[in-house]
Amino acid sequence: MKVLVTGAAGFIGSHTSERLAEMGHEVVAIDNFSDYYDVSLKQLNAEALAKKGIAIQEIDLRLDTLTTVLTEGVQAIFHFAAQPGISASSTFDDYLSNNFLATQRLLDTIELLENKPFFVNIATSSIYGLEATLTEDQAPLPASWYGVTKLAAEQLVLAYSRRNLLQSCSLRLYSVYGPRERPDKLYTRLIDCGLNDKPFPLYEGSAEHLRSFTYVQDIVDGIVSVLGNESVCNGEIFNLGTEEENTTATGIAIVEEILQKKIKIKMNPARPGDQSRTKANIDKARRLLNYNPSTGLKQGLEAQVEWFESNF
C-alpha cells in the first residue's frame, strides 16, 4: 500500500513512518521542517529514516502544491503535521494555520482525487481539557489554543466522512514519550538536565499532575492497527494510550534512578491551560482494534535515556 505521512520528521511521525515501511508499505513522507524547535533534531530523524529508504520531502501544507505528493496511488494518509503543545511563544494564528487551515487544505486536495485515500487524523488528549479522562463519546472541553484547534481539525476531517466525501477516523493520543521525543517535552528535558547538570524548569503544581505516559512504540501499535480495519474505523474516534497513571514527580524519580543522580529543580509559574490529569480510557480501541499497550514507564525511559546518550 502507498501511504502518505505528514509531519514525518517529527517525533511520532518518524516512528510511524519506520513501522509502516517495516510492514511493507511504500511511505511518501513530508514535513515543513518548522523551527518550532531545533531543526537539526528533525534532520537527525530524517537521516534515520533515509537509512531505511524513506526520503522526506520538504513541503508546507499551508503553502505548497500538494498534488505532487497526493497522487491517485496514495491509499492512506496519516496526518501528524501540526503546531504542537502549549507554548507561550506560539500565537493563536500559529495554531490556527498549522492545525486547522493546513488540514483543510489537505482535505481540499483529496476532494479532487477520484480514488480518495483513507484519512487517519492524529489528534490529542488535550481536546478533552484540563482533565482528560473521558470516553470518545463524551463532550470535550479544551482549555488551550492547541486543544481548541486540534478539536476543530478533527471535526473537519470527520465532517468529510459524515458527508461521504471520504473515509476517515481520528486518534486521540495520550502523553507520548520515548526516543526522539521533542526537546521541549518532559522527559527529553529531564534527561538533558540530569546528564548536563542543568536546572530543570518545573511548572508550579505540575509535580502532582497525573499522566498516562505512553511509550511511543505502544502508540504506533495503535496507529497502524487502523490499516486492515478501515471499515470498522470509518467515522470513529479512538483514544490511544496506557491506562497506567503516574505523576510527574514519579517520572522525575525514575529518570533520576536510571541516571543515578539527582536533578536540580527550578520552579516556574504554572502554565495556563495545562492539564492536571490524563488517563486514557481505551475500552473502545481494545475492543475494536485489539489495542493493548504493554511498556512500563521505567522500561520506556531506559530506552529513551539510551537514545539520548547515543545521539547527544
Side-chain angles (χ1 to χ4, degrees):
M1 179 184 291
K2 191 173 185 179
V3 179
L4 173 66
V5 179
T6 74
F11 169 34
I12 311 171
S14 64
H15 283 288
T16 302
S17 297
E18 283 182 333
R19 180 74 69 84
L20 290 167
E22 289 166 2
M23 294 167 66
H25 300 296
E26 179 186 351
V27 178
V28 179
I30 65 172
D31 200 291
N32 71 347
F33 290 89
S34 161
D35 62 0
Y36 174 80
Y37 60 88
D38 189 349
V39 175
S40 68
L41 299 175
K42 286 193 169 188
Q43 294 289 357
L44 191 66
N45 295 343
E47 289 167 12
L49 264 60
K51 291 176 182 176
K52 299 192 176 183
I54 305 167
I56 300 180
Q57 301 177 56
E58 186 168 351
I59 289 179
D60 192 320
L61 293 175
R62 302 165 300 169
L63 305 170
D64 296 327
T65 299
L66 304 182
T67 51
T68 55
V69 292
L70 195 53
T71 65
E72 289 290 349
V74 174
Q75 295 170 271
I77 295 174
F78 290 85
H79 179 42
F80 291 90
Q83 181 76 17
I86 300 171
S87 171
S89 64
S90 298
T91 66
F92 178 76
D93 283 344
D94 290 331
Y95 291 108
L96 179 66
S97 65
N98 283 292
N99 296 347
F100 185 77
L101 297 179
T103 303
Q104 180 191 34
R105 197 158 181 267
L106 184 57
L107 290 165
D108 285 347
T109 306
I110 292 170
E111 229 183 324
L112 302 175
L113 299 176
E114 183 178 349
N115 299 303
K116 296 173 176 54
F118 191 92
F119 195 109
V120 183
N121 181 65
I122 305 300
T124 168
S125 65
S126 292
I127 281 171
Y128 288 119
L130 298 178
E131 291 209 359
T133 61
L134 305 180
T135 61
E136 295 88 344
D137 58 356
Q138 292 178 280
L141 299 166
S144 65
W145 291 338
Y146 174 58
V148 167
T149 53
K150 288 293 285 181
L151 176 60
E154 174 184 88
Q155 288 303 308
L156 182 63
V157 172
L158 294 175
Y160 274 67
S161 282
R162 295 177 193 124
R163 294 162 57 198
N164 294 316
L165 296 175
L166 52 71
Q167 293 192 330
S168 70
C169 68
S170 189
L171 310 177
R172 295 175 177 172
L173 311 187
Y174 278 73
S175 301
V176 190
Y177 73 97
R180 302 180 192 159
E181 184 186 58
R182 297 197 323 263
D184 59 308
K185 297 286 284 180
L186 172 63
Y187 289 116
T188 297
R189 295 183 81 176
L190 269 173
I191 294 165
D192 179 32
C193 289
L195 289 174
N196 296 300
D197 294 314
K198 297 188 291 189
F200 174 74
L202 186 66
Y203 296 103
E204 187 176 346
S206 65
E208 276 62 61
H209 287 176
L210 283 162
R211 292 285 184 270
S212 284
F213 293 121
T214 310
Y215 188 58
V216 63
Q217 295 299 339
D218 283 340
I219 282 289
V220 173
D221 286 345
I223 292 170
V224 301
S225 71
V226 171
L227 297 181
N229 289 301
E230 289 90 345
S231 61
V232 172
C233 294
N234 184 36
E236 298 292 340
I237 297 168
F238 295 93
N239 293 333
L240 296 181
T242 179
E243 293 170 306
E244 177 185 326
E245 286 184 283
N246 284 284
T247 63
T248 302
T250 298
I252 293 171
I254 292 174
V255 172
E256 290 178 330
E257 180 185 350
I258 295 169
L259 299 179
Q260 297 185 1
K261 66 188 302 184
K262 193 75 174 172
I263 297 172
K264 303 170 191 173
I265 301 294
K266 177 186 176 184
M267 295 305 301
N268 285 352
R271 291 190 301 181
D274 207 357
Q275 293 172 299
S276 59
R277 184 186 181 202
T278 71
K279 185 181 190 303
N281 183 318
I282 58 172
D283 291 348
K284 183 176 179 180
R286 180 179 287 116
R287 184 177 73 253
L288 298 180
L289 300 176
N290 196 30
Y291 179 59
N292 187 34
S294 58
T295 308
L297 184 57
K298 185 177 181 183
Q299 179 186 356
L301 285 174
E302 286 172 340
Q304 185 165 345
V305 169
E306 181 181 355
W307 163 79
F308 191 97
E309 290 180 325
S310 296
N311 288 279
F312 304 105

